[in-house]
Amino acid sequence: MLLASIGAMGSTDGVVLEDALQILQRVFGYPEFRGDQAAIVEHVVAGGDALVLMPTGGGKSLCYQVPSLVRPGTGVVISPLIALMQDQVDALRALGVRAGFLNSSLSWDERRTVEAEFVAGELDLLYLAPERLTSEATLRLLEQGEIALFAIDEAHCVSQWGHDFRPDYLSLTHLHERWPKVPRIALTATATEATRQEILTRLELTDGRQFVSSFDRPNIQYRIVPKKEPKKQLLDLLRGEHQGDAGIVYCLSRASVEKTAEFLVANGIPALPYHAGLDSSVRQRNQARFLREDGLVMVATIAFGMGIDKPDVRFVAHLDLPKSVEGYYQETGRAGRDGLPSTAWLAYGLQDVVQQRKMIESSEGDLAFRRRSQMHLDAMLALCETVTCRRTRLLEYFNESGVPCGNCDTCLTPPEAWDGTVAAQKVLSTVYRLRKERNQKFGAGQAIDILLGRKTAKVIQFDHDQLSTFGIGEDLSEGEWRGVVRQLLAQGLLAVEGEYSTLVLTEASAEVLSRKREVKMRKDPTPTRSTTRTASSPSGAAKVKIDLPADAGPLFEALREWRAGQAREQGVPAYVIFHDATLKSIAASRPGSLTALGAVSGVGQAKLTKYGEQILEVVAAGGAAPEAAAPAAVQAPRSKPKPPSSGGAAWGSGDAVDEWPEPEEPDEPMDW
Ligand code: ADP
Ligand code: ZN
């Protein structure tokens, strides 16, 4: 049997019959290792411990999969991604690797089978949920077999301060105590210096070697746009550049997930909702569909995504501001694992800053927690407001330096910086008059109405047309004033407090009012359509990206069609059959023989044997395949009552007592 023949290459009889490179070529069909992979594989095969920091899509899996095939015994992979284990194992089996998993989803019989295979040395890889390792029964089971290595995937889950903390990860130190000779390789895509140190100490990996790759993801185009009508902006992005593509849209709240998914479906874009409030069977079904079907959009809270290794996610869109750069980078990193051009798009506005600041202020956490959250948010805001290359800023956050990338919005359309000192003074002065002189509490909306000299009912009611700042801001539009207030909040020159998001001055405001400090601002660029990528045509040809010769398009579509049929038949995600990148290479090179097909990156021995003839037939037919089937119908998600509005009333006045830093008197009061 095919499965047995590959396993015998190294694991069953303990003889290394092939070196790692040959396994890479034969089993995985890749011509060579990428980046640090070769060094990591060599180190682990030799029995060394390692911490591997690589961005999403960098190729971490091969770093433990290849050594598991080279070393005698079974590679034991600890992964928190229970829902994905089946797919991971299916993908390995499709390559002819003997893989299995143990988690709570298995029946008693299935579990016994996997356990027996492990003990008999018939598994190359065994995936385990971390909670299994807290049970003595599992540890005893592991003692009955031979272990090639322990791979600790998503190792940042051991970090108690991180966003993905899993208490069971803390028990992983026992592995080292019980199996001191078995090499351990910890892998993560999340790694600030602090997280890295925490992983090293908690997993007792300080003697291991660290492999830190560049975190750059050159194929992802980063774009952060001013938020105006976010759903419409999103729709423009999907229609203009990502018609027919798979992607993820992140929203902060469950309600906005539901509404956004409904909105997309109503506009003809197949979309599914995903959030922690949905029944777990619905969540699982939606996730499975997203992984299996082509061209679905998943609208989700951050509950969705860790470990989603779907390689052809073409865009990640954020409709709300992420809480930290680390989280943002991890979420956007889910785009473009296959290395093909992809988009990370974020719409960001004044309300986001207000909301996040408020959430931190009212959080249950202690002072240290709030301070840390504040620092995370400030770094995220600095990224949003930067006038320099986004990628350089992102990489700086991970202690890497870079040069302007040419593939982010600020590089493509450099925003102008402007001296916003006077505008800042106008806003701060208005807040000063409201708070200090009148002891009133108002939000940004009222301050902007005052600056614009609008005689709204509320302006009249509170006599705000009598303020000296009334009408002094007619030189800027409402949108521009919102941009000014947003940037003042982002820079800590203004703050919000209380239930109604009242604007208050900070100590730093005084420096601006007293002309001791200048304020640099970013001019929000007027939105233009994508600058680098030609907007795709609305037809099915939209799926064909620029990296494919134009005449290869029909063949690529025909190959996708063939792949979809296979995936349906076998009940596995399409990428388990072949990745897009592989199909594109085939479409571009039109191999005429099995040998030529076998040379294409991503076509390993098992797949060549299984699919070779069929693919050659599709190629010979030259893309004159039957009409592409219409994408599967997507049900509109359940509708829910309208969520509580986060705008409107939040900007009104309040009457709670307040405590706020008293600003210094300006040296010379402003004229207004
Ligand atoms: P990670 O776990 O780091 O996010 P994966 O292990 O899922 O990344 O790999 C990302 C993609 O890159 C996968 O599609 C994988 O098949 C591909 N890949 C990894 N290593 C290589 C290589 N040496 N040559 C070609 N493709 C590779
Ligand atoms: Zn750039």
Side-chain angles (χ1 to χ4, degrees):
M1 197 180 106
L2 188 69
L3 294 183
S5 71
I6 288 185
M9 282 198 296
S11 40
T12 45
D13 56 8
V15 180
V16 180
L17 299 175
E18 306 264 357
D19 73 358
L21 187 63
Q22 273 174 309
I23 287 187
L24 179 76
Q25 292 165 348
R26 256 180 77 179
V27 179
F28 298 89
Y30 295 136
E32 57 199 9
F33 285 113
R34 262 190 203 160
D36 285 345
Q37 280 176 338
I40 297 165
V41 167
E42 193 180 18
H43 179 73
V44 175
V45 168
D49 289 341
L51 171 62
V52 172
L53 306 173
M54 238 186 229
T56 311
K60 286 185 284 303
S61 333
L62 287 180
C63 298
Y64 59 83
Q65 288 168 348
V66 172
S68 297
L69 291 170
V70 176
R71 286 177 61 87
T74 306
V76 175
V77 186
I78 293 108
S79 163
L81 313 166
I82 295 175
L84 301 174
M85 282 183 185
Q86 180 74 59
D87 286 347
Q88 286 171 327
V89 163
D90 283 346
L92 284 165
R93 289 195 174 160
L95 296 168
V97 176
R98 303 171 307 169
F101 66 88
L102 287 175
N103 67 30
S104 49
S105 75
L106 293 185
S107 70
W108 192 83
D109 275 349
E110 289 168 327
R111 204 184 77 210
R112 289 306 297 260
T113 308
V114 176
E115 289 176 357
E117 283 172 345
F118 168 73
V119 173
E122 289 165 3
L123 287 182
D124 300 312
L125 280 149
L126 174 64
Y127 285 74
L128 282 184
E131 59 270 21
R132 292 265 137 187
L133 291 168
T134 55
S135 107
E136 189 54 33
T138 309
L139 295 173
R140 275 202 303 271
L141 168 78
L142 291 182
E143 271 170 353
Q144 291 171 51
E146 188 177 11
I147 299 173
L149 56 84
F150 287 109
I152 300 158
D153 206 4
E154 311 289 348
H156 64 280
C157 291
V158 80
S159 162
Q160 272 175 310
W161 303 119
H163 41 92
D164 292 324
F165 175 57
R166 304 286 164 116
D168 292 324
Y169 263 63
L170 294 178
S171 66
L172 296 182
T173 41
H174 301 323
L175 299 180
H176 186 39
E177 288 149 19
R178 213 142 164 165
W179 288 274
K181 294 212 169 70
V182 175
R184 293 168 303 149
I185 168 170
L187 311 104
T188 178
T190 301
T192 53
E193 186 55 37
T195 315
R196 190 197 312 181
Q197 288 311 326
E198 214 179 333
I199 297 172
L200 288 173
T201 42
R202 289 198 191 278
L203 293 179
E204 293 177 15
L205 265 175
T206 31
D207 294 336
R209 217 172 120 188
Q210 292 182 44
F211 296 89
V212 185
S213 304
S214 166
F215 268 67
D216 191 13
R217 300 286 310 280
N219 60 314
I220 299 181
Q221 184 176 90
Y222 295 96
R223 279 147 58 182
I224 301 179
V225 304
K227 194 190 271 191
K228 298 203 169 85
E229 297 166 82
K231 290 214 286 284
K232 186 178 169 302
Q233 289 171 285
L234 175 67
L235 192 62
D236 285 348
L237 173 80
L238 302 200
R239 285 191 172 152
E241 298 174 49
H242 289 289
Q243 189 83 31
D245 283 344
I248 305 173
V249 177
Y250 282 110
C251 303
L252 203 60
S253 74
R254 299 170 183 187
S256 61
V257 163
E258 301 262 349
K259 277 181 60 167
T260 308
E262 273 171 47
F263 169 82
L264 291 178
V265 170
N267 283 282
I269 298 198
L272 299 166
Y274 188 105
H275 58 71
L278 289 171
D279 195 60
S280 81
S281 65
V282 176
R283 275 205 315 260
Q284 266 176 29
R285 194 170 61 230
N286 288 357
Q287 173 168 308
R289 287 193 58 189
F290 177 71
L291 295 177
R292 276 169 175 66
E293 294 172 27
D294 277 336
L296 280 185
V297 175
M298 186 66 108
V299 185
T301 56
I302 53 166
F304 177 73
M306 188 174 42
I308 290 290
D309 50 6
K310 185 175 167 64
D312 55 356
V313 174
R314 291 274 69 87
F315 64 88
V316 170
H318 282 88
L319 286 183
D320 294 299
L321 185 70
K323 290 188 176 56
S324 69
V325 175
E326 219 168 334
Y328 169 74
Y329 204 61
Q330 197 162 45
E331 283 143 30
T332 53
R334 290 172 190 140
R337 276 172 179 246
D338 53 12
L340 300 177
S342 309
T343 309
W345 181 92
L346 160 65
Y348 150 80
L350 170 58
Q351 189 63 42
D352 286 298
V353 193
V354 172
Q355 194 175 20
Q356 297 267 1
R357 291 255 192 256
K358 251 173 72 176
M359 272 164 60
I360 294 171
E361 186 198 8
S362 59
S363 91
E364 309 263 285
D366 59 10
L367 190 64
F369 174 84
R370 286 210 295 273
R371 208 165 270 158
R372 214 169 25 245
S373 308
Q374 200 64 59
M375 271 164 53
H376 283 311
L377 177 61
D378 286 340
M380 190 64 220
L381 293 173
L383 174 70
C384 291
E385 302 291 1
T386 185
V387 291
T388 61
C389 172
R390 305 257 191 225
R391 191 180 311 271
T392 312
R393 292 303 294 255
L394 280 166
L395 291 175
E396 272 169 9
Y397 190 77
F398 297 103
N399 297 323
E400 269 184 60
S401 55
V403 291
C405 73
N407 192 26
C408 72
D409 55 353
T410 49
C411 280
L412 293 166
T413 328
E416 285 168 50
W418 62 292
D419 182 349
T421 313
V422 173
Q425 286 166 343
K426 289 180 181 176
V427 172
L428 298 180
S429 184
T430 304
V431 176
Y432 179 84
R433 310 252 176 254
L434 290 171
R435 299 301 305 252
K436 179 95 176 161
E437 293 178 358
R438 297 197 173 190
N439 197 22
Q440 292 173 335
K441 305 182 86 178
F442 285 93
Q446 185 74 356
I448 291 172
D449 282 345
I450 294 169
L451 287 167
L452 289 172
R454 288 176 172 163
K455 295 201 172 177
T456 63
K458 206 151 91 189
V459 166
I460 308 282
Q461 184 192 347
F462 290 95
D463 280 343
H464 287 166
D465 51 345
Q466 302 304 311
L467 289 173
S468 54
T469 58
F470 184 78
I472 59 168
E474 283 162 358
D475 49 329
L476 298 182
S477 69
E478 178 177 351
E480 286 166 328
W481 279 117
R482 289 181 74 86
V484 169
V485 176
R486 185 194 78 215
Q487 295 189 60
L488 290 173
L489 286 168
Q491 294 183 32
L493 295 173
L494 194 59
V496 284
E497 69 176 23
E499 196 186 341
Y500 298 103
S501 306
T502 313
L503 291 179
V504 292
L505 300 181
T506 67
E507 276 168 57
S509 316
E511 294 174 20
V512 179
L513 280 171
S514 59
R515 297 174 185 166
K516 284 186 193 137
R517 175 166 173 171
E518 288 196 345
V519 187
K520 276 265 165 300
M521 293 205 183
R522 169 187 219 276
K523 187 170 268 171
D524 291 330
T526 31
T528 47
R529 281 282 161 86
S530 162
T531 20
T532 46
R533 270 173 256 159
T534 43
S536 347
S537 70
S539 73
K543 294 181 195 125
V544 184
K545 292 280 189 273
I546 47 170
D547 54 340
L548 193 64
D551 62 348
L555 179 53
F556 175 58
E557 288 306 322
L559 288 163
R560 273 169 67 110
E561 190 63 15
W562 166 83
R563 180 181 66 178
Q566 285 292 330
R568 259 197 308 275
E569 220 169 85
Q570 299 178 37
V572 296
Y575 62 81
V576 166
I577 313 287
F578 281 116
H579 287 182
D580 275 1
T582 305
L583 293 190
K584 279 184 183 174
S585 301
I586 297 174
S589 65
R590 295 180 180 268
S593 66
L594 286 176
T595 318
L597 179 59
V600 173
S601 176
V603 184
Q605 197 188 45
K607 289 186 179 176
L608 185 67
T609 312
K610 191 163 180 190
Y611 305 124
E613 296 293 349
Q614 295 179 45
I615 291 192
L616 292 181
E617 275 173 35
V618 181
V619 173
E627 281 285 288
V634 173
Q635 308 149 294
R638 285 182 296 126
S639 61
K640 281 236 176 142
K642 196 180 176 307
S645 148
S646 53
W651 296 97
S653 62
D655 50 11
V657 203
D658 57 44
E659 267 146 13
W660 48 291
E662 201 70 359
E664 271 176 52
E665 287 290 333
D667 287 348
E668 291 168 73
M670 306 290 159
D671 299 341
W672 10 271

